[in-house]
Amino acid sequence: MGFEIQKKFDYAEVSADLGASLRKHEATIRGIQSKAIYDIGEELAAARDEMSGTAGNHVGGRFYAWCESIGLKVKTVQNILAYHDFVRQNLPNQAMLEELPKSLVYEVARKSAPPELKQGVLNGDITQRVQGPQGRTRGGAESPCGGGEPARGV
């Protein structure tokens, strides 16, 4: 689901018209990606809730076993569900959230994200930074599908 940045594309190497067209394609692809991740989260949440009877009880891990049986890693499922739940809880801000870099939304969607970070982003402060492991500061999160580089938003 998530796109990883392989290397930065230099739009200066193509004509202005082609650059504008490529940016439009990128924006469309990122919009499709956002919707797909949210929709997959909707399906995963429904399956999780059906299996548990109530949200949160994953029937002894069978939910994750089922996810793995359809090719989804546990961490991927956790990231997608966190993104889905965060967007759903903040539906009045959904359009704004879709415009933000996905890496930032994934970061604030984590249950461990500090409340002041979440509120700052919801208030439009996208300069928020998160203290990572070993005290390192990081400005983004991995794509919902894992991988080493942060996902990049539009």
Side-chain angles (χ1 to χ4, degrees):
M1 282 303 97
F3 292 107
E4 297 174 24
I5 299 173
Q6 297 302 318
K7 62 186 206 181
K8 188 172 174 130
F9 185 81
D10 186 358
Y11 287 96
E13 294 179 1
V14 297
S15 71
D17 288 344
L18 180 56
S21 179
L22 291 174
R23 287 182 192 277
K24 181 180 174 197
H25 291 303
E26 178 184 357
T28 300
I29 290 167
R30 301 249 183 244
I32 292 167
Q33 175 193 22
S34 238
K35 182 170 178 6
I37 292 169
Y38 182 84
D39 290 348
I40 290 169
E42 189 80 8
E43 294 300 320
L44 288 170
R48 173 194 63 197
D49 294 348
E50 287 173 21
M51 289 184 77
S52 67
T54 60
N57 178 12
H58 299 151
V59 192
R62 290 193 323 219
F63 170 69
Y64 290 121
W66 173 75
C67 290
E68 288 178 322
S69 78
I70 62 170
L72 296 173
K73 295 177 183 176
V74 171
K75 186 65 177 166
T76 299
V77 172
Q78 291 169 338
N79 287 342
I80 291 172
L81 285 170
Y83 173 80
H84 169 268
D85 293 346
F86 184 75
V87 171
R88 175 168 256 193
Q89 291 166 3
N90 294 284
L91 280 177
N93 299 312
Q94 186 171 3
M96 183 269 296
L97 289 172
E98 289 175 357
E99 294 292 317
L100 293 175
K102 295 298 163 270
S103 59
L104 181 61
V105 180
Y106 300 143
E107 190 67 44
V108 299
R110 293 174 191 244
K111 289 182 181 172
S112 62
E116 60 274 9
L117 172 69
K118 291 182 182 193
Q119 195 55 54
V121 169
L122 291 172
N123 290 340
D125 180 4
I126 63 168
T127 63
Q128 297 284 329
R129 307 224 20 113
V130 176
Q131 192 76 12
Q134 291 86 31
R136 291 183 301 225
T137 301
R138 58 185 208 212
E142 293 180 0
S143 74
C145 295
E149 292 293 321
R152 185 173 149 222
V154 181

